[in-house]
Structure formats: C-alpha cells, structure tokens
Amino acid sequence: MQRIYMDANATTPLLPAVFEAMRPFWIEHFGNASSIHQQGQYARAAVDHARESIAKTFHCRASEIVFTSGGTESDNLAIFGVLNQPRPAGAGPFHLITTSVEHHAILHAAQSIAKQGVEVTFLPCDARGIVDPGPLAAAIRPNTKLVSIMLANNETGVIQPIAPLASITHAAGALFHTDAVQGAGKLAMDLSAHGDLKDVDLLSISGHKMYAPQGTGILFVRRSVRLAPLFHGGSHERQRRAGTENVAGIVALGKAFELAHQWLTEDAPTDGPTHLAHLRDRLEQGILAQIEECGINGAGAPRVSNTTNIYFDHVEAEALVIALDLKGLSISGGSACQSGATEPSHVLTSMGLSPARARASVRLSLSRLTTEAEIDTALTLIPAAVAHLRELSPTYNKPAALASA
C-alpha cells in the first residue's frame, strides 16, 4: 500500500540534502566542538557556520541564536529563563501573560511557574482563534515581566498578529516571547530593527517541524535579554545552555534553514508557499463540496499555507484517523503531543466549539513533498470514510435517499 502523509505539523521528513549535510558529522568529523585540537575546531567551525546561516535568515546577530533540543526546551528556557531572574528587593511577584490556545509546552510551563509564585494570566481568543491586542493591553500590569503568544497555532494554523501584540508589550516595559515552531519554514521572519518581528525578544523553533532531525531546535534571544539557564554545567551557548553541542543536528538545522529560505523566497509556480496553499485550498474545497455538516476551524483567519482543521459532525475524530490510516492516509486528531487524550482540544474549545464538535475535528497538515495526486487520493478516501462512520453513528440523520435505499 502506498502511504500518503498529511501530518507534517507533527513532524516532517528529513530532506535528502539535510541528511547529506549532517552525515559526515556522525562518522568522519565526530569531534567535540569545545575541544581545541583540529577535530574539535572543525566541529566548532561547522556549528558557527550553521549559527551564522540561521542568523542571516532571521536578520539577527549570530550571538543571539541558542541551540537547544527542540521547541519544548526552547519554550521552557524562555519562560523559566526570564521569570526565574532575581527580583528587586521588596518587589512583588513577576506576572506572565499567555493565551488559552498555546501549545502545552507553554501552558504546562506557565502552570508550573505559577506554583512558584508567578502570577499568570491566560488571554482568550475569538471564534477564529485570533488573540486581539485589546485584551492584552488591558491585562498588562506594572509587574508584567513576560508575554508569550504563539506565532502560528499547531492545530489550526491560525497566525497571530504578533507585531501589534509585541509592540503593546514593549510599550509597557515587558519582554515578548513567541513560540514560532509552526511558523518556521512556512513564514518569513525578520527580527531586525526594521523587521516585522522587531519587538520580539525571544523566539522558539523546532527543527523537526521544518525537515531537520528530531531533537534539534533554537531559541532566539535578543542580546539585551538575560536568561537564567535551565541546565548547569559547561559554559556552552554563552552560558545559556550547558551541554556538548549536537554537531550533526546543528549542521542539519542550518541546512534546513537555508533550504527553507530558498523555498520561501523563490516560490516557483510548482513549489513554494503559494503552491502549498493552493493544494491546501483544493483539499478544503473538495471536502466541503462532497461532505455535508462539516466546516473549517479558523476559517476567515490568516493561516499558514499547509494546515487545515476540519470538523465532521456525527464522526469521532479518533475513529476517522484510524479508518484513514487503514487506507494509507496519515492525518491527526490535533496536537501530536496530546495523541490519545480523551479531553477535547483546548484550542478548539477556546474558539467556542462544543466538546462534541471539537472531538469531531481532524487536522490535515501538508508538507513541501505533498503532490496533486495525493490530494486527489485524499479527496476520494476522506468522503468515503466519513460516510461509512456516519452510517454507524446513532446521531446522524441519513438523507431520505440513503435511508430508503
């Protein structure tokens, strides 16, 4: 059976060029980048080159790139690194503002640091999944130290208005962090003094969401920001992240950023963000045309080009995921980190969906390798699977023609 993969927001395949870039650093060039001999210095040069390549893509300083093990570590380093700083004598607790639709790497970190005495506010979103700047401005207090709002949602693909949100935060004297894991490789990001993300102080990336290996990531840390490290040991990453560098993974991450930059800027008719958005839109339109009582979660909001989240009333998402998997199509019921959870998606319920409709929602996330033929196949498999599951549903009122057949 030929399999079709439409779960790229969970993880992406390793691109051949990325693998070839990292391969020599497993066998031939295995040196420790902190060693002063030739093998070590060769590894150090490779790490430095990757750091400079990533910084060039972001329009920031190479010294502002911290290599981590992935998005979860980067998010935690941002939250705990800022909020575990010593407070001035006599000062009250710090205040953190985040949102109800964040990834659990942020939500659980916020809940954990609240137990340490940090005050936490969770902002709501509208029915499209957008966080409005107004509630943020109203929530900021004199003791607000950090605001953390994701760039693109991992379940719906909805893009937040980061520029005005970060501007409001800076005007109040607080720091701004964005979890950009689902924006990396899909959206251009300019962190320069004149860029759209000029007011972002910290930004998290995960390599395996952008065709690099699992276990790689970065945290952008603007040079004016001080962090308390999560790990203690050596002075790696300018004393912000102790531990011997994953040289092969870092080299691969640098190559993945180079390829992403080319993909975003060249945007050829048969490749690039515009083509990927075309495939996503054709998939959505084909599903909506063939299936009744379904709809797009986040419709009307700006979304990354590869992601759609669709509800199918009278169908359990888990059952649909399994049914399609048996036919060779891999999709998701939502965040891969919550796979197997019985609770409905916190993202979708925050958008106002009922628990039943949230449980009837699935995510399809395309990759840069998705083809027109795969879209055609999906548009055959999905309607058939939904129809079959609805036949088994006690809540589904069959159309008269089907009921009498």
Side-chain angles (χ1 to χ4, degrees):
M1 179 189 299
Q2 182 178 0
R3 296 204 59 86
I4 298 173
Y5 185 74
M6 292 187 178
D7 197 18
N9 284 12
T11 197
T12 52
L14 194 67
L15 292 178
V18 173
F19 173 74
E20 288 303 320
M22 71 185 298
R23 186 195 58 76
F25 292 89
W26 278 326
I27 301 175
E28 293 98 339
H29 307 301
F30 54 84
N32 186 320
S34 295
S35 299
I36 62 173
H37 48 60
Q38 289 187 16
Q39 291 96 327
Q41 290 310 293
Y42 192 95
R44 170 56 56 196
V47 170
D48 290 344
H49 175 75
R51 198 187 309 272
E52 289 163 3
S53 295
I54 295 169
K56 183 178 179 181
T57 301
F58 279 147
H59 306 282
C60 68
R61 296 175 176 85
S63 60
E64 295 175 317
I65 300 298
V66 177
F67 290 115
T68 69
S69 64
T72 295
E73 184 191 336
S74 295
D75 285 344
N76 277 259
L77 180 55
I79 298 292
F80 290 96
V82 169
L83 297 171
N84 278 340
Q85 295 286 337
R87 295 192 296 272
F94 287 142
H95 178 221
L96 166 68
I97 299 175
T98 186
T99 82
S100 61
V101 294
E102 299 297 309
H103 189 277
H104 280 94
I106 293 293
L107 294 180
H108 289 170
Q111 292 163 3
S112 177
I113 207 159
K115 296 176 182 177
Q116 300 177 22
V118 172
E119 298 173 347
V120 181
T121 297
F122 295 94
L123 299 176
C125 67
D126 65 19
R128 300 171 300 160
I130 296 288
V131 176
D132 189 78
L136 171 61
I140 291 179
R141 311 169 188 169
N143 64 330
T144 301
K145 179 71 172 178
L146 179 68
V147 174
S148 180
I149 301 177
M150 68 189 344
L151 176 58
N153 190 268
N154 51 298
E155 294 191 30
T156 64
V158 169
I159 302 169
Q160 299 296 346
I162 293 300
L165 294 168
S167 178
I168 289 169
T169 301
H170 265 206
L175 297 175
F176 190 90
H177 165 253
T178 187
D179 177 341
V181 166
Q182 293 296 345
K186 304 169 190 173
L187 301 171
M189 301 182 199
D190 187 347
L191 291 158
S192 71
H194 304 290
D196 55 329
L197 301 181
K198 62 183 177 63
D199 290 322
V200 170
D201 300 290
L202 303 114
L203 181 146
S204 302
I205 296 291
S206 180
H208 76 103
K209 310 294 188 181
M210 51 176 298
Y211 310 92
Q214 297 170 5
T216 62
I218 68 166
L219 178 66
F220 162 80
V221 183
R222 204 169 290 279
R223 65 173 179 170
S224 58
V225 177
R226 299 188 64 180
L227 289 181
L230 291 179
F231 307 145
H232 299 276
S235 59
H236 310 83
E237 297 300 299
R238 290 180 166 81
Q239 301 184 345
R240 295 172 294 193
R241 202 270 188 181
T244 299
E245 293 92 343
N246 173 9
V247 177
I250 289 170
V251 168
L253 190 55
K255 184 64 176 180
F257 266 92
E258 291 178 11
L259 296 175
H261 179 71
Q262 294 173 10
W263 184 78
L264 285 166
T265 54
E266 294 176 3
D267 198 11
T270 57
D271 195 14
T274 302
H275 177 66
L276 191 56
H278 159 73
L279 294 179
R280 189 272 312 275
D281 292 347
R282 193 162 79 80
L283 178 65
E284 287 182 346
Q285 292 161 11
I287 289 172
L288 294 177
Q290 295 185 68
I291 304 175
E292 62 179 9
E293 295 187 76
C294 69
I296 310 300
N297 297 319
R303 291 178 293 155
V304 288
S305 59
N306 79 313
T307 305
T308 184
N309 192 295
I310 308 178
Y311 67 83
F312 299 95
D313 288 342
H314 317 290
V315 170
E316 286 289 332
E318 184 177 5
L320 180 56
V321 170
I322 293 171
L324 290 173
D325 185 47
L326 292 173
K327 296 295 184 180
L329 174 59
S330 299
I331 67 168
S332 170
S335 172
C337 300
Q338 289 299 106
S339 179
T342 57
E343 291 299 311
S345 161
H346 70 282
V347 173
L348 300 182
T349 54
S350 294
M351 293 166 61
L353 273 71
S354 68
R357 180 161 282 181
R359 290 192 180 96
S361 299
V362 297
R363 179 188 69 188
L364 295 95
S365 45
L366 313 183
S367 81
R368 281 152 48 183
L369 305 180
T370 301
T371 66
E372 296 273 4
E374 289 176 334
I375 298 295
D376 292 337
T377 301
L379 288 174
T380 298
L381 295 176
I382 294 171
V386 170
H388 174 69
L389 292 172
R390 283 180 172 172
E391 284 289 314
L392 304 175
S393 172
T395 67
Y396 181 57
N397 294 318
K398 301 172 187 176
L402 293 177
S404 61

